[in-house]
Amino acid sequence: MAIPNLQVALDQSSLSDALGTVQKVGEEVDIIEAGTILCLAEGMQAVKCLRALYPDKIIVADTKCADAGSTVAENCRAAGADWMTAICSATLPTMKKAAEEISELQVELYGNWTYQDAEDWLEAGISQAVYHQSRDALLAGETWGEKDLTRVKRLAEMGFRVSVTGGLEIDTLPLFQDVEVFTFIAGRSITEATDPQMAARKMKQTIREIFGASS
Ligand code: 5RP
């Protein structure tokens, strides 16, 4: 099993706060995400700044695009994003149009979706999925559990590279030890830590320990 990546989600509402954080953690993580909140608050300027600061990292624009796939993806690519996200309830034409304009499109799984939808995404050439526990669901008392692990495993078996996200903490990671996770996406547990650099470093080290690499 490959060692999962670590992605930091920058969900601040101001670009200056996000840039202050990313300068502490950017070198510790594999992938940097302009989070949905940041994209909505600051637009593609946030992606442009991340690309300028980290020319060699994978940059994700977490747009959760629902429509106008082509235009949104073109804007993300022009700003420097490698990948972007579309919400799972977007139509297949929206996803296909977006996928034509960006290196990779990730489908964000929230709420209602089916394995038939997933087959359709694969058939359209979309092979990255983000399995999400929404922050509102977590606030309402949801937790990561067996049902989530079963879904992530099934998606991986179908051929998806599956990222997982939503309130992840170092203590949550061992839950996934038998699951093929492509990327752990962590926001607040890194960005709101007293020492974000140390938080990211520890998370990366824990991933290595759980998934079998010694350094
Ligand atoms: C919210 C998101 C977040 O970026 C993602 O869930 C990670 O944030 P956190 O670890 O703080 O829950 O996509 O829509």
Side-chain angles (χ1 to χ4, degrees), residues 9 11 33 62 64 110 132 135 165-167 186-188:
D11 277 312
E33 169 191 319
D62 187 13
K64 296 188 175 66
Y110 279 96
H132 212 123
R135 71 172 61 187
T165 189
R188 291 161 292 175

Side-chain angles (χ1 to χ4, degrees), residues 96-116:
K96 283 181 179 171
K97 281 292 177 194
E100 283 171 13
E101 298 294 336
I102 191 104
S103 296
E104 286 214 45
L105 182 74
Q106 302 176 303
V107 183
E108 285 258 356
L109 304 175
Y110 279 96
N112 298 323
W113 54 275
T114 65
Y115 290 106
Q116 182 55 55

Side-chain angles (χ1 to χ4, degrees), residues 116-132:
Q116 182 55 55
D117 293 330
E119 289 289 358
D120 294 343
W121 301 329
L122 277 179
E123 210 166 291
I126 298 160
S127 60
Q128 281 207 56
V130 180
Y131 187 92
H132 212 123

Side-chain angles (χ1 to χ4, degrees), residues 7-15 18-19 22 29 31-51 54 58-65 76 79-85 106 108 135 185-187 191:
Q7 175 172 327
V8 67
L10 301 167
D11 277 312
Q12 291 92 339
S13 296
S14 96
L15 183 53
L19 295 182
V22 80
V29 300
I31 301 170
I32 299 171
E33 169 191 319
T36 309
I37 294 170
L38 184 61
C39 287
L40 287 172
E42 298 279 8
M44 289 297 104
Q45 190 60 26
V47 176
K48 284 182 191 158
C49 289
L50 295 175
R51 173 50 70 213
Y54 297 96
I58 295 173
I59 306 286
V60 182
D62 187 13
T63 51
K64 296 188 175 66
C65 177
C76 290
D82 299 291
W83 302 344
M84 65 173 271
T85 61
Q106 302 176 303
E108 285 258 356
R135 71 172 61 187
I185 306 171
T191 62

